[in-house]
Amino acid sequence: MNSTDTANTASPETGQTIAAPDQAAAGEPIIKFEKVIKRFGDITVLDELDFQVRKGEKVTIIGPSGSGKSTVLRILMTLETINDGVIHVAGKPLWHEEKDGRLVPAGEEHLREMRKEMGMVFQQFNLFPHMTVRRNITEAPVHVLGLSKAKAAERAEKYLDLVGLAEHADKFPSQLSGGQQQRVAIARALAMRPNIMLFDEPTSALDPELVGEVLNVIQRLAGEHDLTMLLVTHEMQFAKQISDRVCFFDKGRIVEEGPPEQVLVAPHETRTQEFLKGFINPE
Ligand SMILES: Nc1ncnc2c1ncn2[C@@H]1O[C@H](COP(=O)(O)OP(=O)(O)OP(=O)(O)O)[C@@H](O)[C@H]1O
């Protein structure tokens, strides 16, 4: 199928036929959710979600517990499937692939390729405890990207330096503070050179005095013009500083979105106003 063709597609889970959008047209957003439905049992977590992120944009998702924020990131990272709808990442369907001119549910190889677009930083760091910091960072570049050990080690050094941990390469995660572990996790994600970085409440497992060092690293990354960032956080002041756009999620839909000065400081929607009452005003 060329870039102007359209085709009918089967939903990855239901097999239902859905219309396929145009591929990779110029100026397309790097992330595009179209009428995405995600259910866990009887609960509809994403309810026909339409959501887009442009290349290089820094977008923060806020919202009450259970509103589907983490699910959006986990679906992008292919850790959760979708029940219906279509997602495009970098102009390609994420959960579908082309076969004989039709979009069909994606196979493992397609998902593996698509994952290379994204790096994710989790709440709980998720480092390999039995590997040194260096090995945590070189593992995927060697085994997934096929880099030589020497090249991967060079990369690890570069990104450890970026997160201010160059001298800790030979330590094990248990020898580091939570803030340092999270910075290693950021270096590990960056070492795959993703176009998109996903952050899922990266500071919520940290003691308050360790939050700043992680936010500083993320803030520095936000200065990277080409890196697209999608961040779930409850750090409203931080969201205000780094975001081009803030999306307020509730019950699997975007209730309000716009520049941080609007959504976080002078929200239009009552639900956004109610939610933000629980936080210190980020003005
Ligand atoms: N693997 C799963 N199995 C069953 N239910 C799940 C699963 N993952 C998430 N859920 C449910 O989906 C809903 C949305 O979860 P999600 O983690 O996306 O919310 P969230 O907005 O990120 O919330 P929080 O701020 O508490 O992390 C919740 O009701 C949650 O219990």
Side-chain angles (χ1 to χ4, degrees):
M1 190 168 74
N2 67 36
S3 64
T4 54
D5 285 341
T6 54
N8 287 334
T9 73
S11 144
E13 196 161 291
T14 60
Q16 216 175 317
T17 300
I18 44 184
D22 286 355
Q23 307 280 293
E28 276 284 277
I30 194 164
I31 297 172
K32 190 171 177 185
F33 280 57
E34 288 176 289
K35 302 229 170 306
V36 171
I37 296 180
K38 174 64 184 171
R39 296 186 204 95
F40 288 114
D42 293 341
I43 309 170
T44 300
V45 176
L46 301 183
D47 187 9
E48 296 198 4
L49 178 68
D50 289 320
F51 174 58
Q52 302 191 354
V53 180
R54 291 190 311 277
K55 185 166 167 42
E57 205 180 8
K58 320 300 183 230
V59 176
T60 303
I61 301 178
I62 61 167
S65 183
S67 57
K69 307 181 296 295
S70 298
T71 301
V72 167
L73 302 192
R74 292 177 60 78
I75 286 172
L76 279 169
M77 208 58 203
T78 71
L79 298 170
E80 299 285 356
T81 60
I82 57 176
N83 295 95
D84 215 335
V86 183
I87 299 171
H88 278 78
V89 172
K92 291 187 218 121
L94 177 66
W95 280 103
H96 298 89
E97 62 184 315
E98 282 178 44
K99 282 240 167 80
D100 306 326
R102 282 173 54 86
L103 290 184
V104 298
E108 188 46 44
E109 198 177 328
H110 176 83
L111 294 176
R112 213 177 305 129
E113 278 306 305
M114 294 303 291
R115 261 179 230 129
K116 291 181 187 167
E117 290 288 334
M118 292 164 282
M120 184 155 170
V121 175
F122 299 86
Q123 199 172 331
Q124 297 293 346
F125 331 138
N126 293 3
L127 298 177
F128 301 115
H130 59 291
M131 290 182 189
T132 62
V133 163
R134 182 184 292 104
R135 186 85 197 281
N136 261 283
I137 300 174
T138 57
E139 197 68 1
V142 169
H143 293 290
V144 180
L145 301 182
L147 256 61
S148 69
K149 283 191 179 163
K151 265 260 168 277
E154 220 175 276
R155 246 190 218 191
E157 204 172 308
K158 174 182 164 182
Y159 289 108
L160 276 175
D161 199 34
L162 187 94
V163 301
L165 293 172
E167 71 279 21
H168 297 282
D170 294 313
K171 290 189 177 164
F172 286 90
S174 61
Q175 295 172 292
L176 301 178
S177 72
Q180 289 172 326
Q181 290 186 51
Q182 192 59 303
R183 283 149 64 199
V184 173
I186 293 171
R188 180 176 62 174
L190 289 172
M192 292 294 283
R193 301 258 169 92
N195 289 314
I196 301 167
M197 281 287 282
L198 309 171
F199 294 91
D200 190 8
E201 301 193 36
T203 58
S204 59
L206 297 175
D207 291 337
E209 73 272 18
L210 302 178
V211 167
E213 64 187 72
V214 173
L215 294 185
N216 282 340
V217 167
I218 299 174
Q219 181 139 32
R220 222 171 314 136
L221 286 180
E224 292 273 332
H225 182 71
D226 281 343
L227 186 66
T228 305
M229 281 173 46
L230 187 53
L231 172 83
V232 173
T233 187
H234 293 293
E235 301 279 346
M236 298 303 163
Q237 180 61 44
F238 181 67
K240 182 160 175 270
Q241 284 165 11
I242 70 148
S243 312
D244 298 315
R245 179 158 53 101
V246 175
C247 298
F248 173 65
F249 266 62
D250 197 15
K251 301 191 175 79
R253 282 175 178 246
I254 297 172
V255 172
E256 180 165 4
E257 63 181 314
E261 301 75 30
Q262 177 214 311
V263 178
L264 296 175
V265 182
H268 300 159
E269 299 293 328
T270 314
R271 269 195 280 169
T272 322
Q273 292 163 6
E274 288 297 320
F275 172 74
L276 287 171
K277 274 185 192 160
F279 295 88
I280 297 164
N281 192 330
E283 222 165 344

